[in-house]
Amino acid sequence: MPVVTRYAPSPTGALHIGGARTALFCWAYARHHDGQFLLRFEDTDRERSTLESETVVLEALRWLGIDWDAVPGFEDVPRQSERGPRYEEVLAKLLESGAAYRCVCDDARLEHLRERARQGGQAAVYDGACRERGIAADCAEPFCVRLRIDAHAPTRWDDAIAGASGQDASDLGDYVVARTDGTPIYHLACSVDDHDMGVTHVIRGREHMSSTSRQLPLYSAMGWQPPAFAHVPLLVEASGKKLSKRQDAVSVQSYRERGFSPQAVLNFIARLGWGHGDLELFDREQLAEVFEMSGVGHSASQVHEDKLLWISQHWIKTLPMDELVEQLQPFLDAEAGRPVEDSAELRKLLDLLRERSKTWVEMAAQAGFWLRDEIELDPKAARKQLKAGIAGPLGELRAALADLTEWTEETLDPTFHAVAEKHDLKLGKLAQPVRVAIVGVPQSPGIFETLAVLGKQRSLQRIGAALEYIAARDSEGGD
RNA sequence: GGUCCCAUCGUCUAGUGGCCUAGGAUACCAGGUUCUCACCCUGGAGACACGGGUUCGACUCCCGUUGGGAUCACCA
């Protein structure tokens, strides 16, 4: 039987990396087995579900490169809100067979029940008061529908990650499957959907563990073969707390905005709670190739971004230039304050910067000296490197550079060395002031490469400006 | 409170009843390389939560303790 997995988010906000990771595992498992990966929106919570959120979730998945298959019979990603009739149908069958029954217990009684159970140190489960009352559909009182969970109901399963799982049926109680208004509760909708969509492997977060105990009897009541279950351990914050608080900071969108490539984010989240020997760096396809459920760990993982930064740098270093430019473009535009045109020169610069950037944001910032015509000197660096003593050699260097007819690393190099030697300076003593002059800060790619890519005119102009800076400072008495 | 789950370097993880005084990665520190930064290279420090068992032998199995977490809705 071909593998079918699904990711079924509630469209109530951004897709955070915990959800993205679950989706990724579902995707990888399906792809590994040449199966199908489906999507569905669990939007039965009408209050919180929004269309906008659906778009955000889909966009995040797309960005990560997690592609999904179409669900037969649906043009779009299925929504639970559109499947009401089907749930009613199942509900009717459940009622008819006696697997479910109508319950007229009101909130007050239920609350009382819970309180008493808690006081007595017992599990707060429904006492089954309406179980044998045979309440009919034409009952005058408002009623909900509960699933009958007998002592022998199947509530245990062999989890693909957690192993033997489940709890006693007696700890569950007859839970509600349909509200007073007739709408289905999650467990019903979810089970029916998974069954109808032909899902063979439900891979979901650990927080759904007890849902499974409840859903299994439902499958049994309908005479359906339940899917295999795999519950993925949670992701927690660096503080060890649940991942929901700073949700915006850990949303896929946030990582995107902070300048991480989808490759890096995917690589990073896959390694959170999953491992394959010593494999650290891999792309989507490689992941699908080696992904096994047995590689998923049993304990929660903390989201520390140290490793993400390293992974991100790796991808920036190795991405094909075309893709690099494509991903970097928005950050470049933002840095420049205008649309930046692609060019051979730009690409030369980016090749120099890609070795020393951990994010697109960082890379764009480092490109700032090239993107702008005017630069600002970092005060501290200027004070340190642009001192009176260097004015002479720097002036001479500028003159020598001005005489160059060819402006390449090969012509720049000997020019520098000649001036440095003449003044008995180490290359660094000359290179650093020049670096600060043309870049503004004391770090950049190699000085010759940087000059070459900046161009003769702008380089000479900036060195000239630096000389003026020194002169101005000198006349003020310097420090 | 009931039920259930988890526990290896700061972090992500590998691992097996003896080959592990525990491997990789990252982060950190120190060197090297270099015109700076980064990359890269070399080295360093750093963990089996605790206590009982079982066993010839446990990080690995069992029990308890502690710590963390999930869930117990007419939310999903």
Side-chain angles (χ1 to χ4, degrees):
Chain A
M1 189 165 63
V3 166
V4 178
T5 64
R6 53 65 164 179
Y7 178 60
S10 325
T12 55
L15 179 67
H16 66 78
I17 54 170
R21 188 187 60 158
T22 302
L24 180 62
F25 287 178
C26 291
W27 175 90
Y29 188 77
R31 294 290 173 257
H32 180 82
H33 293 278
D34 290 318
Q36 300 234 301
F37 170 64
L38 310 178
L39 234 44
R40 138 178 117 230
F41 284 118
E42 307 211 320
D43 62 344
T44 50
D45 183 347
R46 305 322 305 274
E47 294 285 302
R48 296 188 300 152
S49 302
T50 65
L51 243 39
E52 190 202 353
S53 170
E54 288 187 9
T55 310
V56 169
V57 170
L58 256 25
E59 183 49 39
L61 291 173
R62 238 179 245 123
W63 181 72
L64 284 169
I66 298 175
D67 56 321
W68 57 91
D69 298 301
V71 180
F74 290 83
E75 283 187 22
D76 215 350
V77 174
R79 295 187 183 88
Q80 290 189 329
S81 61
E82 293 164 354
R83 304 210 348 112
R86 171 57 176 151
Y87 303 138
E88 277 166 37
E89 186 186 330
V90 171
L91 210 50
K93 278 188 191 157
L94 252 19
L95 246 11
E96 193 184 336
S97 72
Y101 60 89
R102 300 183 182 84
C103 168
V104 294
C105 295
D106 58 20
D107 286 347
R109 191 179 114 73
L110 261 20
E111 186 53 45
H112 174 71
L113 223 50
R114 272 193 286 269
E115 201 168 312
R116 208 177 54 184
R118 194 161 287 227
Q119 275 173 0
Q122 298 289 306
V125 294
Y126 178 63
D127 65 355
C130 295
R131 223 179 203 212
E132 311 302 340
R133 288 174 65 180
I135 298 165
D138 58 3
C139 171
E141 288 177 76
F143 60 84
C144 66
V145 179
R146 290 182 182 271
L147 186 72
R148 186 189 295 268
I149 305 221
D150 294 316
H152 62 268
T155 54
R156 296 185 178 277
W157 74 99
D158 183 23
D159 196 273
I161 293 170
S165 303
Q167 48 192 306
D168 287 345
S170 59
D171 290 320
L172 252 28
D174 297 346
Y175 68 92
V176 174
V177 288
R179 303 183 181 96
T180 304
D181 65 5
T183 58
I185 286 302
Y186 165 73
H187 297 297
L188 178 75
C190 178
S191 306
V192 171
D193 288 342
D194 283 337
H195 172 262
D196 288 0
M197 287 162 72
V199 173
T200 59
H201 297 258
V202 171
I203 302 167
R204 52 170 37 155
R206 199 72 143 208
E207 71 272 20
H208 285 287
M209 204 91 186
S210 63
S211 296
T212 304
S213 285
R214 287 161 198 280
Q215 291 169 198
L216 252 13
L218 193 45
Y219 280 92
S220 157
M222 287 303 291
W224 294 337
Q225 173 74 33
F229 290 92
H231 291 86
V232 182
L234 265 27
L235 244 35
V236 295
E237 289 187 38
S239 64
K241 295 287 169 235
K242 203 186 168 201
L243 196 66
S244 57
K245 297 297 181 217
R246 291 158 52 246
Q247 208 183 46
D248 283 346
V250 293
S251 71
V252 171
Q253 180 61 21
S254 158
Y255 284 99
R256 182 177 186 173
E257 283 165 4
R258 283 186 281 155
F260 292 103
S261 62
Q263 288 86 348
V265 174
L266 182 141
N267 194 157
F268 175 61
I269 62 178
R271 281 291 286 121
L272 247 29
W274 172 84
H276 185 261
D278 290 337
L279 183 66
E280 295 285 352
L281 298 167
F282 47 84
D283 64 20
R284 205 167 50 117
E285 303 310 323
Q286 286 172 282
L287 176 66
E289 219 168 279
V290 302
F291 187 84
E292 296 285 356
M293 212 61 86
S294 60
V296 180
H298 293 186
S299 52
S301 312
Q302 292 185 20
V303 180
H304 273 239
E305 289 176 9
D306 287 347
K307 190 106 148 222
L308 171 60
L309 254 6
W310 171 72
I311 292 172
S312 176
Q313 182 168 29
H314 163 79
W315 284 102
I316 288 178
K317 281 192 295 186
T318 53
L319 237 32
M321 182 52 83
D322 283 342
E323 190 170 351
L324 185 151
V325 171
E326 194 184 324
Q327 287 199 38
L328 181 63
Q329 189 76 55
F331 298 92
L332 238 28
D333 294 352
E335 175 70 25
R338 63 180 163 81
V340 174
E341 253 179 71
D342 192 357
S343 67
E345 282 300 294
L346 174 70
R347 289 180 178 228
K348 250 185 231 169
L349 172 73
L350 300 185
D351 255 333
L352 300 178
L353 298 180
R354 74 194 315 187
E355 289 278 326
R356 50 206 103 213
S357 307
K358 293 195 191 310
T359 67
W360 298 132
V361 170
E362 208 178 286
M363 192 164 174
Q366 291 180 87
F369 83 97
W370 187 88
L371 295 170
R372 280 185 280 275
D373 283 330
E374 300 285 322
I375 60 157
E376 278 179 30
L377 298 180
D378 173 66
K380 198 176 158 195
R383 223 177 300 129
K384 183 173 179 197
Q385 298 297 157
L386 301 177
K387 292 179 175 170
I390 200 68
L394 199 55
E396 268 180 49
L397 177 71
R398 184 174 186 278
L401 292 176
D403 285 341
L404 288 177
T405 49
E406 262 192 77
W407 190 263
T408 64
E409 288 167 48
E410 288 70 29
T411 61
L412 260 12
D413 188 322
T415 311
F416 261 72
H417 277 100
V419 175
E421 271 165 38
K422 182 177 167 195
H423 291 272
D424 200 24
L425 291 171
K426 283 193 168 181
L427 187 59
K429 292 292 175 192
L430 192 56
Q432 274 309 81
V434 172
R435 174 169 280 115
V436 171
I438 64 170
V439 182
V441 294
Q443 310 91 34
S444 84
I447 194 66
F448 308 128
E449 298 163 309
T450 305
L451 282 162
V453 79
L454 221 209
K456 184 174 180 180
Q457 197 197 337
R458 290 202 288 178
S459 299
L460 291 178
Q461 183 195 329
R462 288 181 192 184
I463 295 170
L467 285 165
E468 281 168 30
Y469 168 92
I470 296 173
R473 180 181 169 185
D474 207 25
S475 67
E476 280 168 20
D479 63 328

